[in-house]
Short mmCIF file of all heavy atoms in Angstrom, two decimals:
data_model
loop_
_atom_site.label_atom_id
_atom_site.label_comp_id
_atom_site.label_asym_id
_atom_site.label_seq_id
_atom_site.Cartn_x
_atom_site.Cartn_y
_atom_site.Cartn_z
N ALA A 1199 27.41 154.81 -72.96
CA ALA A 1199 28.49 155.37 -73.79
C ALA A 1199 29.14 156.56 -73.08
O ALA A 1199 30.37 156.68 -73.06
CB ALA A 1199 27.94 155.79 -75.14
N ILE A 1200 28.33 157.42 -72.48
CA ILE A 1200 28.88 158.59 -71.78
C ILE A 1200 29.69 158.16 -70.56
O ILE A 1200 30.81 158.63 -70.35
CB ILE A 1200 27.75 159.55 -71.39
CG1 ILE A 1200 27.17 160.19 -72.65
CG2 ILE A 1200 28.23 160.61 -70.41
CD1 ILE A 1200 25.87 160.94 -72.42
N LEU A 1201 29.15 157.27 -69.76
CA LEU A 1201 29.87 156.80 -68.57
C LEU A 1201 31.13 156.02 -68.95
O LEU A 1201 32.16 156.15 -68.30
CB LEU A 1201 28.95 155.94 -67.70
CG LEU A 1201 27.83 156.70 -67.01
CD1 LEU A 1201 26.90 155.72 -66.29
CD2 LEU A 1201 28.38 157.73 -66.04
N GLY A 1202 31.04 155.22 -69.98
CA GLY A 1202 32.21 154.47 -70.43
C GLY A 1202 33.31 155.37 -70.93
O GLY A 1202 34.50 155.15 -70.65
N THR A 1203 32.95 156.41 -71.65
CA THR A 1203 33.94 157.37 -72.15
C THR A 1203 34.60 158.10 -70.99
O THR A 1203 35.81 158.27 -70.96
CB THR A 1203 33.26 158.37 -73.11
OG1 THR A 1203 32.68 157.64 -74.18
CG2 THR A 1203 34.27 159.35 -73.67
N GLN A 1204 33.80 158.53 -70.02
CA GLN A 1204 34.34 159.19 -68.83
C GLN A 1204 35.33 158.27 -68.11
O GLN A 1204 36.41 158.68 -67.75
CB GLN A 1204 33.20 159.55 -67.87
CG GLN A 1204 32.40 160.74 -68.28
CD GLN A 1204 33.03 162.02 -67.79
OE1 GLN A 1204 33.64 162.06 -66.73
NE2 GLN A 1204 32.90 163.06 -68.58
N ALA A 1205 34.92 157.02 -67.90
CA ALA A 1205 35.77 156.07 -67.18
C ALA A 1205 37.06 155.83 -67.94
O ALA A 1205 38.15 155.77 -67.34
CB ALA A 1205 35.03 154.76 -66.97
N TYR A 1206 36.98 155.69 -69.25
CA TYR A 1206 38.18 155.44 -70.05
C TYR A 1206 39.16 156.59 -69.94
O TYR A 1206 40.33 156.39 -69.63
CB TYR A 1206 37.81 155.23 -71.53
CG TYR A 1206 39.03 155.20 -72.42
CD1 TYR A 1206 39.82 154.06 -72.47
CD2 TYR A 1206 39.39 156.30 -73.17
CE1 TYR A 1206 40.95 154.03 -73.26
CE2 TYR A 1206 40.52 156.26 -73.95
CZ TYR A 1206 41.30 155.13 -74.01
OH TYR A 1206 42.42 155.11 -74.78
N PHE A 1207 38.70 157.82 -70.18
CA PHE A 1207 39.62 158.95 -70.17
C PHE A 1207 40.13 159.27 -68.78
O PHE A 1207 41.29 159.64 -68.60
CB PHE A 1207 38.99 160.18 -70.83
CG PHE A 1207 39.06 160.12 -72.32
CD1 PHE A 1207 37.94 159.83 -73.07
CD2 PHE A 1207 40.26 160.31 -72.98
CE1 PHE A 1207 38.00 159.76 -74.45
CE2 PHE A 1207 40.34 160.24 -74.36
CZ PHE A 1207 39.21 159.97 -75.10
N ARG A 1208 39.30 159.10 -67.75
CA ARG A 1208 39.79 159.32 -66.38
C ARG A 1208 40.85 158.27 -66.02
O ARG A 1208 41.84 158.58 -65.38
CB ARG A 1208 38.65 159.31 -65.38
CG ARG A 1208 37.81 160.55 -65.47
CD ARG A 1208 36.77 160.60 -64.36
NE ARG A 1208 35.86 161.70 -64.57
CZ ARG A 1208 36.09 162.94 -64.16
NH1 ARG A 1208 37.20 163.22 -63.54
NH2 ARG A 1208 35.20 163.88 -64.39
N GLY A 1209 40.64 157.05 -66.46
CA GLY A 1209 41.63 156.00 -66.22
C GLY A 1209 42.92 156.26 -66.98
O GLY A 1209 44.02 156.10 -66.44
N GLU A 1210 42.79 156.67 -68.23
CA GLU A 1210 43.97 156.96 -69.04
C GLU A 1210 44.75 158.15 -68.49
O GLU A 1210 45.96 158.22 -68.62
CB GLU A 1210 43.58 157.25 -70.49
CG GLU A 1210 43.17 156.03 -71.27
CD GLU A 1210 44.33 155.06 -71.48
OE1 GLU A 1210 45.43 155.49 -71.81
OE2 GLU A 1210 44.12 153.86 -71.28
N GLN A 1211 44.06 159.11 -67.88
CA GLN A 1211 44.72 160.28 -67.33
C GLN A 1211 45.50 159.97 -66.07
O GLN A 1211 46.35 160.75 -65.66
CB GLN A 1211 43.69 161.38 -67.01
CG GLN A 1211 43.19 162.10 -68.23
CD GLN A 1211 42.13 163.12 -67.87
OE1 GLN A 1211 41.21 162.84 -67.12
NE2 GLN A 1211 42.26 164.30 -68.43
N SER A 1212 45.23 158.84 -65.44
CA SER A 1212 45.87 158.56 -64.15
C SER A 1212 46.87 157.41 -64.18
O SER A 1212 47.67 157.29 -63.28
CB SER A 1212 44.80 158.28 -63.09
OG SER A 1212 44.07 157.12 -63.46
N LYS A 1213 46.83 156.56 -65.18
CA LYS A 1213 47.71 155.40 -65.18
C LYS A 1213 49.05 155.73 -65.84
O LYS A 1213 49.17 156.76 -66.50
CB LYS A 1213 47.04 154.22 -65.86
CG LYS A 1213 46.90 154.34 -67.34
CD LYS A 1213 46.18 153.10 -67.88
CE LYS A 1213 46.16 153.11 -69.39
NZ LYS A 1213 45.48 151.96 -69.92
N PRO A 1214 50.06 154.87 -65.68
CA PRO A 1214 51.34 155.11 -66.35
C PRO A 1214 51.12 155.23 -67.85
O PRO A 1214 50.30 154.55 -68.44
CB PRO A 1214 52.16 153.87 -66.01
CG PRO A 1214 51.58 153.37 -64.74
CD PRO A 1214 50.10 153.69 -64.82
N ILE A 1215 51.89 156.13 -68.45
CA ILE A 1215 51.69 156.45 -69.86
C ILE A 1215 52.84 155.92 -70.70
O ILE A 1215 53.99 155.93 -70.27
CB ILE A 1215 51.53 157.97 -70.03
CG1 ILE A 1215 51.15 158.32 -71.46
CG2 ILE A 1215 52.77 158.71 -69.61
CD1 ILE A 1215 50.69 159.75 -71.63
N HIS A 1216 52.54 155.45 -71.89
CA HIS A 1216 53.54 154.94 -72.81
C HIS A 1216 54.30 156.11 -73.43
O HIS A 1216 53.76 157.20 -73.60
CB HIS A 1216 52.86 154.10 -73.90
CG HIS A 1216 53.81 153.31 -74.71
ND1 HIS A 1216 54.46 153.85 -75.78
CD2 HIS A 1216 54.24 152.04 -74.60
CE1 HIS A 1216 55.26 152.93 -76.30
NE2 HIS A 1216 55.13 151.83 -75.60
N ALA A 1217 55.54 155.88 -73.80
CA ALA A 1217 56.40 156.93 -74.34
C ALA A 1217 55.78 157.62 -75.56
O ALA A 1217 55.91 158.83 -75.74
CB ALA A 1217 57.76 156.36 -74.70
N ARG A 1218 55.10 156.88 -76.43
CA ARG A 1218 54.55 157.49 -77.65
C ARG A 1218 53.41 158.45 -77.35
O ARG A 1218 53.07 159.28 -78.18
CB ARG A 1218 54.09 156.40 -78.62
CG ARG A 1218 52.85 155.68 -78.18
CD ARG A 1218 52.36 154.69 -79.22
NE ARG A 1218 51.25 153.94 -78.71
CZ ARG A 1218 51.33 152.76 -78.13
NH1 ARG A 1218 52.51 152.17 -78.01
NH2 ARG A 1218 50.27 152.15 -77.68
N ASN A 1219 52.81 158.34 -76.17
CA ASN A 1219 51.70 159.22 -75.82
C ASN A 1219 52.08 160.31 -74.81
O ASN A 1219 51.23 161.06 -74.38
CB ASN A 1219 50.55 158.40 -75.23
CG ASN A 1219 49.98 157.46 -76.25
OD1 ASN A 1219 49.95 157.74 -77.44
ND2 ASN A 1219 49.53 156.30 -75.79
N TRP A 1220 53.34 160.36 -74.43
CA TRP A 1220 53.76 161.33 -73.43
C TRP A 1220 53.56 162.74 -73.98
O TRP A 1220 54.04 163.07 -75.05
CB TRP A 1220 55.22 161.09 -73.05
CG TRP A 1220 55.65 161.90 -71.88
CD1 TRP A 1220 56.44 163.01 -71.90
CD2 TRP A 1220 55.33 161.67 -70.51
NE1 TRP A 1220 56.63 163.47 -70.65
CE2 TRP A 1220 55.97 162.69 -69.77
CE3 TRP A 1220 54.56 160.72 -69.87
CZ2 TRP A 1220 55.85 162.76 -68.38
CZ3 TRP A 1220 54.46 160.80 -68.48
CH2 TRP A 1220 55.10 161.81 -67.76
N ARG A 1221 52.85 163.54 -73.26
CA ARG A 1221 52.55 164.92 -73.63
C ARG A 1221 51.90 165.02 -75.02
O ARG A 1221 52.25 165.87 -75.83
CB ARG A 1221 53.79 165.80 -73.55
CG ARG A 1221 54.36 165.84 -72.15
CD ARG A 1221 55.20 167.09 -71.95
NE ARG A 1221 55.93 167.04 -70.72
CZ ARG A 1221 55.44 167.38 -69.53
NH1 ARG A 1221 54.22 167.78 -69.41
NH2 ARG A 1221 56.18 167.31 -68.46
N SER A 1222 50.96 164.16 -75.26
CA SER A 1222 50.21 164.16 -76.51
C SER A 1222 49.11 165.21 -76.44
O SER A 1222 48.17 165.08 -75.66
CB SER A 1222 49.61 162.78 -76.77
OG SER A 1222 48.70 162.84 -77.83
#
Side-chain angles (χ1 to χ4, degrees):
I1200 291 168
L1201 291 174
T1203 302
Q1204 284 274 326
Y1206 171 77
F1207 280 105
R1208 287 187 188 274
E1210 286 294 315
Q1211 284 177 313
S1212 62
K1213 72 181 187 180
I1215 187 168
H1216 192 276
R1218 71 175 175 266
N1219 295 328
W1220 189 255
R1221 299 203 190 277
S1222 169

